[in-house]
Amino acid sequence: MSAALASALALAACGPKALELPADPIDRAATCGVVAAANARSQVAELKAPLPFEAQTKIVHYTMIAASNGGTFDPKIAGTVSERMAALQEGITEGKWQDLIPACAEAYPVAEKTDVTLPSDSFEAGLGCDSTIDFLSDAMRANEADYADQYGEMAGLQREFDRSLAPGLNARAGSRLEEQRDLRNKAVAEFTGLGSPAALLQQCEARFGD
């Protein structure tokens, strides 16, 4: 074998490696979050420019999906998925992450769903909007300056919900914070399954905004 051929084969062997979705549900969601981030970043011309709001919320959506498997939202699981995204990022982006785009779409069809319909009941819709906004606001806090307009809209909705939801919360869960938190976590799980958080927020703003 010539030295040139050996060198060419060595370079080919060092190319991006093939990737598969992990079987573990936490790592699977984290992997798809990294893939979504890499895909969104590849479509932004300016390297240091913030991702579009829709793309950023889609990344967060994978943490919400994994945390809502039991019918109620578990913030600790969402945090674990976020941590795994950071840990897995380098290994995924150095591989053939593009090949995982269709696999993630198949594994998590709700992450691709942009046709969102809120519950007809005003209290249920308001509680789901408010509880989802609470989580998204906290999850994206480090990027708040990049999405000032969206944060302004969310803050306006939260002020409205602070006033309007209290009677319904007290009627359904009493004044105990733990029971109210459980009700909110169930609402987040339900709304996570409705589709894209960005599309969801648009519906919340259209229905409850000023």
Side-chain angles (χ1 to χ4, degrees):
M1 182 183 296
S2 69
L5 180 56
S7 177
L9 290 174
L11 287 173
C14 293
K17 65 179 180 179
L19 300 171
E20 294 182 354
L21 286 185
D24 177 80
I26 299 296
D27 281 2
R28 184 167 61 247
T31 295
C32 287
V34 172
V35 169
N39 190 34
R41 177 53 61 192
S42 72
Q43 299 175 46
V44 175
E46 179 61 41
L47 182 62
K48 295 185 178 180
L51 296 178
F53 182 74
E54 294 80 0
Q56 190 67 51
T57 58
K58 183 175 183 178
I59 297 166
V60 178
H61 196 196
Y62 286 105
T63 73
M64 300 170 69
I65 296 169
S68 299
N69 274 341
T72 186
F73 178 71
D74 187 335
K76 291 182 179 179
I77 293 178
T80 300
V81 175
S82 183
E83 291 171 359
R84 290 300 292 158
M85 285 184 189
L88 296 172
Q89 178 179 355
E90 184 175 354
I92 294 170
T93 54
E94 289 180 349
K96 297 180 179 179
W97 58 265
Q98 297 89 340
D99 294 347
L100 291 181
I101 294 175
C104 288
E106 182 178 356
Y108 300 102
V110 70
E112 309 299 320
K113 188 174 184 291
T114 57
D115 182 15
V116 173
T117 302
L118 301 182
S120 57
D121 182 83
S122 293
F123 174 78
E124 291 181 7
L127 182 65
C129 287
D130 188 39
S131 303
T132 302
I133 287 171
D134 281 346
F135 174 74
L136 287 173
S137 297
D138 288 342
M140 297 172 57
R141 187 68 63 190
N143 306 98
E144 180 176 357
D146 295 330
Y147 309 113
D149 290 344
Q150 291 85 354
Y151 263 83
E153 291 177 359
M154 290 191 289
L157 285 171
Q158 286 179 306
R159 287 192 293 271
E160 166 62 23
F161 292 134
D162 285 344
R163 179 190 63 79
S164 63
L165 290 178
L169 270 175
N170 289 332
R172 288 165 172 79
S175 59
R176 292 178 294 277
L177 293 180
E178 184 175 353
E179 293 188 10
Q180 290 192 7
R181 184 169 59 248
D182 289 344
L183 198 62
R184 286 183 173 278
N185 285 338
K186 290 179 180 177
V188 174
E190 178 185 354
F191 270 51
T192 294
L194 296 181
S196 157
L200 176 66
L201 291 176
Q202 289 178 352
Q203 293 300 317
C204 293
E205 177 65 28
R207 183 161 172 181
F208 296 105
D210 294 333

